[in-house]
Amino acid sequence: MTAFPLPPNATIGIVGGGQLGRMSAMAAARLGYRCHILTPEPDSPAGQVAAGVTLGEYEDPAALRDFALHADVVTFEFENVSAEGLDLLASLKPVRPSPAVLRVSQERIIEKTFINRAGVPTAPWAPVESESDLAAALAGVGLPAILKTTRLGYDGRGQARVATEAEAWEAYRRLLPHPLILEGVVDFACEISVVCARGADGDYAAFDVVENRHRDHILDLTFAPARIPEETAATAEAVGRRVAEALDLVGLLAVEMFVTAEGKVLANEIAPRPHNSGHWTIDACPASQFEMHIRAVAGLPLLPAARHSDAVMKNLVGPEELALWPEIVATPGLIPHLYGKAEARPGRKMGHVTRLFPKGGLPGPFGTQAALGVLGDAAL
Ligand code: AMP
C-alpha cells in the first residue's frame, strides 16, 4: 500500500522515456525521490537521469508488471499507452493521473466531447467513421476544414487541411486508421495554452497563460506571459480549471487553445502531463511545471504557480538548430537545455533555450530576435 505524501527516497514510476520524463525525473530528484522509467528505448532521455529503467514495450504485461514492482506510484509523460496496459498498472499501483483521464486525452472524439460537455467551446467538429459521416460532416462543419486521425497524432502528423470536397475525400481515403474527425479551420489571432496542477485534495494552481508559435506544426516559440487582454487570459485560465475539475485530475494538465480575432477562446487539445509550452517555468518560476507534476503525483502540497520573470522559450528542433549548440552555450543569457538524444533527425525536439526578462519586460519581435542571439533569425 502506498501512503501519501510519498516520503523521501520513494520511487515514482514514469511511463515513457522522453524529455518530459527526463525533466520530471530531475525535478523529482531535487525533492529527494527516485524515478523508474518504462520505455522500449535503450539510452532514453529520461532513462539517462533516472534511478532505474524497465526496458520493454508499453503493451507487454511482463514489462508492465516489472515496472510496477519498482514504483510506489505511477505517472506518465506519454499518453499513448494501451487501455489494457493502463488497467494492469492501476491494478498494481496508484496511477496519477487516473487511467480515465488518460483515456479522454488519447482519442480526439472522446476528448472533444468531454471538453464541450464541460461547457468549453471548441472549433465546430464532427466524427467521421464512414463515407456518409464525411458527407454529413462536410455539410455541418463546412470548408475549409482539417481532417485528423483520432489517435496517436502529434506535431501535425495524421492531419490534412482540406479546402474542397474533392480534397476531403482524398484525405479521407489516405488518412488511417479510421475513425477520423473533421474540424472547422479556426482563423486564429494566436495560439495560447495554460498549464495547471491539481492535487488529490482538490488543491489547484495554474501558471500564467502563454502564447505559442508553431513552425511546420511543431512548437517553435513560447512567450510567457501571452500578449493578450487580461479578460482573454482570465477566460483561458478558467478553461484550464474547468477541464481539470471535470476530469477530477490529480497531476498536471495542459490545455491548448485558439484566440480568434474577436477574442473568443476555443479549446483545441488537452494533455494530462507536462507540456512543451511549460518548459519556460523551469527557469522563470520558483516551482516549475515538472516540480508541480511531481508534487501532485507524490501528494505534496502544491505551491503557488508564481512567475518571477517573463520568458521566451525556443525549441531546438532537428540537426540544423542543434548545430547552433556551441554558440548557444557560449551566449550569456541563453539558458540551455539538452535532452540527451543521440540522433538529431529532422523535426525531432533535441532541446530548448530559455531567455528571461524582468517581469513586465517581455520585448516585441525585434527585441526578442536580438535577445535570442544566434537563434534570433531562426525564431522570427
Ligand atoms: P493538433 O494536433 O490538434 O494540436 O494541431 C496542431 C496544430 O495545427 C495546432 O497547434 C494549430 O496550429 C493547427 N490546427 C489544429 N487544428 C486546427 C483548427 N481547427 N484550426 C486551425 N488550426 C488548427
Side-chain angles (χ1 to χ4, degrees):
M1 268 293 283
T2 301
F4 293 103
L6 289 187
N9 293 315
T11 301
I12 298 174
I14 301 180
V15 178
Q19 63 268 20
L20 302 175
R22 178 186 180 92
M23 292 182 272
S24 294
M26 289 162 75
R30 196 158 56 73
L31 292 169
Y33 296 126
R34 293 147 205 261
C35 285
H36 190 90
I37 310 295
L38 174 64
T39 172
E41 187 194 346
D43 193 33
S44 65
Q48 290 167 16
V49 303
V53 177
T54 295
L55 211 55
E57 298 295 333
Y58 302 118
E59 290 77 31
D60 175 4
L64 290 163
R65 282 182 190 284
D66 177 83
F67 167 69
L69 208 64
H70 287 89
D72 295 301
V73 63
V74 168
T75 189
F76 298 84
E77 65 109 46
F78 169 82
E79 287 133 277
N80 296 324
V81 189
S82 70
E84 298 74 33
L86 286 178
D87 290 338
L88 177 57
L89 287 176
S91 74
L92 299 168
K93 289 291 159 73
V95 177
R96 294 179 159 187
S98 70
V101 170
L102 267 125
R103 283 199 172 86
V104 171
S105 69
Q106 276 179 334
E107 211 273 346
R108 287 189 199 270
I109 295 171
I110 298 174
E111 182 184 43
K112 289 262 178 353
T113 304
F114 186 92
I115 292 171
N116 290 155
R117 280 202 190 133
V120 174
T122 56
W125 65 274
V128 177
E129 297 195 30
S130 63
E131 294 191 1
S132 60
D133 281 351
L134 180 59
L138 285 167
V141 170
L143 288 167
I146 302 184
L147 203 55
K148 300 179 179 178
T149 53
T150 54
R151 283 181 182 273
L152 306 175
Y154 65 99
D155 291 346
R157 281 165 231 220
Q159 304 196 4
R161 203 177 164 113
V162 295
T164 64
E165 297 215 351
E167 282 176 15
W169 284 102
E170 187 279 322
Y172 171 78
R173 283 186 282 270
R174 181 166 49 81
L175 287 176
L176 291 170
H178 291 175
L180 306 171
I181 183 171
L182 188 76
E183 283 180 30
V185 168
V186 179
D187 183 18
F188 55 80
C190 67
E191 292 190 76
I192 59 172
S193 57
V194 66
V195 174
C196 54
R198 192 164 177 271
D201 54 1
D203 203 10
Y204 177 85
F207 292 99
D208 284 327
V209 175
V210 298
E211 187 178 333
N212 300 315
R213 296 260 201 91
H214 295 81
R215 208 156 35 120
D216 302 330
H217 296 284
I218 300 171
L219 183 66
D220 181 34
L221 290 164
T222 294
F223 297 87
R227 296 160 298 188
I228 53 176
E230 245 172 64
E231 66 265 30
T232 311
T235 304
E237 245 174 71
V239 165
R241 184 163 201 138
R242 198 177 263 212
V243 174
E245 283 174 359
L247 288 168
D248 198 17
L249 176 86
V250 181
L252 207 66
L253 174 77
V255 185
E256 297 176 26
M257 291 164 272
F258 302 118
V259 181
T260 67
E262 303 79 47
K264 246 184 115 184
V265 173
L266 302 174
N268 177 36
E269 257 191 353
I270 64 172
R273 52 162 172 79
H275 193 259
N276 196 167
S277 71
H279 289 1
W280 63 277
T281 60
I282 299 176
D283 301 306
C285 301
S288 72
Q289 65 162 349
F290 299 101
E291 177 166 344
M292 291 290 206
H293 177 210
I294 295 301
R295 281 176 174 265
V297 168
L300 296 181
L302 299 181
L303 297 179
R307 169 173 62 82
H308 54 65
S309 301
D310 287 5
V312 175
M313 189 283 312
K314 163 95 182 84
N315 267 339
L316 301 177
V317 178
E320 304 82 24
E321 292 186 343
L322 185 66
L324 300 171
W325 187 249
E327 284 116 300
I328 291 167
V329 288
T331 307
L334 294 185
I335 306 175
H337 300 256
L338 210 56
Y339 305 149
K341 298 181 184 179
E343 198 193 336
R345 291 192 290 270
R348 197 170 196 209
K349 292 173 183 168
M350 303 305 296
H352 72 269
V353 167
T354 312
R355 175 91 207 207
L356 297 181
F357 303 91
K359 219 171 166 180
L362 198 62
F366 290 118
T368 302
Q369 197 162 16
L372 287 175
V374 69
L375 289 164
D377 285 342
L380 298 167

